[in-house]
Amino acid sequence: MPDYRRNRILGGTYFFTVNLLQRNSHLLVEHIESLREAIRVVRKNRPFHIDCWVVLPEHMLCIWTLPVGDADYASRWKAIKTAFSKNIPKTERLSAVRLAKGERGIWQRRYWEHTIKNDADYAAHMNYVHINPLKHGLVKRVADWPYSSFHHLVKIGIYEEDWAGDGSVEIEPYGG
């Protein structure tokens, strides 16, 4: 069995990519209100700060900052996935393994986590999150994607409305 090692920093800031099992699905945007409600419920019981978030049809990217003294993002993700799964119809096909474990066939079991190291790393990942709908060809302008924290960040002056609108911004968060 693989040994998945996670970096846990108390009160840390983390970038995540969380995928659906079926990468051709549109489940996340089709059931966006169920996803939002799952996140609200989990945040009420296990608070964390959402620095940014974008929901695409089959995956989502976000940055969270956990409370001081807390590094348990894993239980939060488990609770979000579980709450979302309970609130949507059972239409997915299940493998024998998932059936035996009583699992739904909605989520990939693992997710990508990256501990934000410094301000430059934070800025690169913020940009990467928000440019993703454009990168995946879902919109022609970042501002046109409705399921993104980009709109809130424009309102508070972090981004300009036309940021990366022409796709000329090169974003690569995984370097350095």
Side-chain angles (χ1 to χ4, degrees):
M1 172 170 267
D3 179 21
Y4 291 98
R5 299 181 68 127
R6 301 278 188 194
N7 192 24
R8 291 179 174 81
I9 305 294
L10 297 175
T13 301
Y14 302 91
F15 164 81
F16 300 99
T17 301
V18 180
N19 297 313
L20 293 179
L21 184 61
Q22 300 299 322
R23 292 304 304 262
N24 62 347
S25 174
H26 287 83
L27 203 59
L28 293 175
V29 294
E30 289 169 357
H31 297 281
I32 191 71
E33 287 309 317
S34 292
L35 178 60
R36 287 175 174 154
E37 182 60 21
I39 294 163
R40 274 192 289 274
V41 167
V42 171
R43 286 184 72 207
K44 182 179 177 188
N45 297 323
R46 302 286 314 273
F48 60 93
H49 180 263
I50 296 171
D51 296 73
C52 68
W53 205 307
V54 68
V55 178
L56 301 167
E58 82 303 339
H59 74 286
M60 53 188 165
L61 304 109
C62 57
I63 298 175
W64 297 355
T65 299
L66 296 181
V68 173
D70 189 342
D72 187 11
Y73 52 78
S75 69
R76 288 169 170 89
W77 274 119
K78 182 178 180 180
I80 290 169
K81 289 177 169 185
T82 299
F84 176 77
S85 299
K86 286 181 178 179
N87 287 321
I88 63 169
K90 292 183 180 184
T91 59
E92 71 276 6
R93 290 185 2 205
L94 296 175
S95 68
V97 171
R98 288 188 185 265
L99 273 171
K101 291 184 174 192
E103 295 177 358
R104 298 277 310 262
I106 296 173
W107 300 101
Q108 286 186 3
R109 288 195 179 106
R110 306 287 182 232
Y111 52 86
W112 172 259
E113 162 268 321
H114 166 80
T115 305
I116 300 296
K117 296 173 180 57
N118 55 41
D119 288 345
D121 192 30
Y122 183 83
H125 281 83
M126 287 283 285
N127 291 344
Y128 183 75
V129 166
H130 292 111
I131 205 162
N132 241 260
L134 184 68
K135 178 183 152 203
H136 287 281
L138 298 168
V139 292
K140 296 204 183 295
R141 297 178 333 125
V142 171
D144 293 339
W145 188 249
Y147 313 115
S148 174
S149 58
F150 179 76
H151 308 286
H152 170 71
L153 296 171
V154 166
K155 283 181 190 171
I156 63 172
I158 304 296
Y159 287 103
E160 295 292 324
E161 178 84 19
D162 63 351
W163 177 80
D166 61 1
S168 63
V169 174
E170 290 292 324
I171 305 297
E172 185 55 53
Y174 301 112

